[in-house]
Amino acid sequence: AFREVSDGSQDKDPSTLWLSVMCHLRQAEVYNPCPDSRNRRKYSPGPSRPQNCQVDLEGTQAKKSRSSNDGYTLKPSGPTQTCSSSLPSATNIPCLPPLTFGEAFEEAYQVILILDDREQFATKGSRSRKIVDYICSEFKIKIEVRRLPVGDCIWIARHKCLGTEYVLDFIVERKNIDDLRSSIRDNRYRDQKLRLQRSGFKKLIYVVEGDPNQSDAAESIKTACFTTEILEGFDVLRTSGLGETLRKYGHLTKSIHQYYKSLVNDDDGQNKAASYPCFDGFVKRCQDLDKMTISDVFAIQLMQVPQVTEEIAIAVLDMYPTLVSLASSYSQLDGNVSAQEEMLRNRSNSVISATASKNIFKLVWAE
């Protein structure tokens, strides 16, 4: 992969090509999952065997491949290190909802799949809804339809005796190829991902339906999928269409139940009750995210400045969350224009380019 990437790149420094190499490998894995015997590499070790599709529940990169029975397993991460920018930590590992001493998850809770009522398969009587009913019967799971403030499906744990509901740490955004292409062009794609990242869920899953190779925007779609997974920590799953997506939901529901069933009850119920929102609390939390803050307005202003990308704007906000705080810092260097122009670049360890640093200074301070 490195040889093929470096042959097509003018930059031969290995340290700068790692992302392109990862994307190249990911493209081969995702978009050519079942090559025929004529195209298989001569050095492929061992006999071919059915593989299982995995999503790592503890925050490391997803490992995906298709199994012979279309099974879907979720496994805790091992010691393998990943290239994701969201490295696994204890805070990113889903934990049990509140349980009393000696109470087991399986005895206390039922896992329920919640679909957004704006999805096409949420309409009663439709052909898609019949598929949903079939999935319920096939996987012996419960599916409910509600209005979701973010995402296309989530999972809740409903207490079998008390009826209390806790939103589990998994959320799915589903896009077919045409919708994904449109959302990339009008920036809905970026905004929707940002809302998912800010929603508080620990496991973010992005389902892409259809074959991007059949789209006139194939390369931009593939690039978007790679960056979403490799750089932003999502698990990106591909399906052939709606039917397969719903089957994935069924496998995920069963696997999520098995995952929570396998966790040990450490009897820390009060802390867990505070960290696990009820469904109404989840809706309110997401609605609060839609309220624009002063920092949000400042970020929008910054991104109108030439040479200021989204990443640079975020770097500025990390140091100066408001326009006033940045202006105050410039005032301390008043009279030294050169130092003011270089201030952001120096204080960000060159994350902010010299040109962007100078342009932002002109916006805020220059006459």
Side-chain angles (χ1 to χ4, degrees):
F2 176 79
R3 182 171 63 252
E4 292 177 6
V5 169
S6 60
D7 287 346
S9 173
Q10 296 179 352
D11 190 351
K12 303 301 180 181
D13 182 1
S15 64
T16 65
L17 296 178
W18 71 270
L19 179 57
S20 297
V21 173
M22 291 301 301
C23 288
H24 185 86
L25 289 170
R26 192 76 185 105
Q27 180 175 2
E29 179 183 356
V30 174
Y31 295 100
N32 302 289
C34 300
D36 60 35
S37 58
R38 292 171 298 174
N39 295 328
R40 286 183 180 161
R41 298 183 185 273
K42 295 179 181 180
Y43 53 81
S44 297
S48 61
R49 57 185 179 186
Q51 296 176 324
N52 220 11
C53 185
Q54 299 179 357
V55 171
D56 177 4
L57 294 192
E58 297 189 351
T60 60
Q61 200 64 35
K63 298 176 182 178
K64 307 172 184 65
S65 53
R66 192 176 306 280
S67 72
S68 58
N69 62 354
D70 198 27
Y72 205 104
T73 61
L74 305 178
K75 297 183 179 181
S77 63
T80 305
Q81 189 155 0
T82 73
C83 64
S84 172
S85 60
S86 302
L87 295 180
S89 66
T91 58
N92 286 330
I93 300 174
C95 58
L96 285 167
L99 292 168
T100 59
F101 178 75
E103 192 175 33
F105 176 84
E106 185 178 24
E107 298 170 354
Y109 289 102
Q110 178 185 21
V111 175
I112 300 173
L113 170 63
I114 306 295
L115 299 177
D116 185 32
D117 64 4
R118 289 162 291 193
E119 286 287 88
Q120 65 184 82
F121 41 75
T123 305
K124 290 185 178 181
S126 66
R127 177 178 176 274
S128 301
R129 184 55 186 262
K130 292 179 181 178
I131 300 177
V132 172
D133 295 337
Y134 176 77
I135 295 298
C136 289
S137 174
E138 178 184 359
F139 290 91
K140 295 180 173 59
I141 61 175
K142 186 173 180 62
I143 299 178
E144 295 183 3
V145 176
R146 303 182 188 179
R147 176 61 57 94
L148 297 179
V150 62
D152 293 317
C153 85
I154 62 172
W155 286 263
I156 63 171
R158 179 182 294 159
H159 200 282
K160 295 179 180 179
C161 296
L162 303 176
T164 51
E165 296 177 345
Y166 296 99
V167 177
L168 300 177
D169 278 316
F170 301 84
I171 187 167
V172 173
E173 179 74 18
R174 180 183 73 93
K175 293 284 186 189
N176 62 43
I177 292 299
D178 291 337
D179 190 24
L180 181 56
R181 178 189 59 187
S182 300
S183 64
I184 290 172
R185 289 175 176 173
D186 62 17
N187 282 330
R188 284 185 296 116
Y189 172 71
R190 184 181 66 181
D191 295 340
Q192 287 169 344
K193 284 194 300 181
L194 182 59
R195 293 193 73 224
L196 289 171
Q197 291 170 318
R198 296 174 62 190
S199 64
F201 287 90
K202 295 176 181 177
K203 285 301 300 179
L204 309 175
I205 303 171
Y206 212 93
V207 174
V208 180
E209 286 182 3
D211 184 2
N213 293 311
Q214 303 300 317
S215 171
D216 57 3
E219 291 306 314
S220 63
I221 290 173
K222 292 178 185 179
T223 300
C225 291
F226 299 150
T227 56
T228 296
E229 182 169 29
I230 295 173
L231 297 182
E232 297 171 331
F234 285 72
D235 286 301
V236 178
L237 306 180
R238 273 197 60 221
T239 67
S240 59
L242 179 61
E244 187 180 358
T245 296
L246 290 171
R247 288 186 61 83
K248 295 291 186 188
Y249 288 175
H251 288 299
L252 269 170
T253 304
K254 299 289 286 186
S255 298
I256 288 172
H257 179 269
Q258 288 298 320
Y259 177 79
Y260 282 103
K261 177 182 173 182
S262 69
L263 296 180
V264 177
N265 178 11
D266 60 8
D267 194 30
D268 192 16
Q270 290 184 343
N271 289 337
K272 289 175 181 175
S275 62
Y276 266 93
C278 63
F279 184 80
D280 291 340
F282 153 69
V283 172
K284 184 179 185 305
R285 183 177 68 186
C286 292
Q287 289 173 341
D288 290 341
L289 291 176
D290 291 333
K291 298 177 181 177
M292 185 167 286
T293 65
I294 294 175
S295 293
D296 293 333
V297 175
F298 186 31
I300 294 172
Q301 291 174 322
L302 287 172
M303 285 190 286
Q304 312 312 309
V305 177
Q307 303 299 316
V308 176
T309 63
E310 182 181 2
E311 292 75 16
I312 290 177
I314 291 173
V316 174
L317 290 177
D318 286 341
M319 298 183 290
Y320 306 102
T322 65
L323 180 60
V324 172
S325 62
L326 178 56
S328 176
S329 189
Y330 281 135
S331 69
Q332 296 174 13
L333 299 173
D334 199 16
N336 188 344
V337 175
S338 177
Q340 289 173 319
E341 291 178 344
E342 294 290 315
M343 184 186 76
L344 289 177
R345 183 180 71 86
N346 294 334
R347 296 186 181 182
S348 67
N349 294 323
S350 296
V351 171
I352 300 172
S353 67
T355 302
S357 179
K358 184 176 181 179
N359 289 343
I360 293 172
F361 165 69
K362 289 181 178 179
L363 167 72
V364 176
W365 202 254
E367 296 180 357

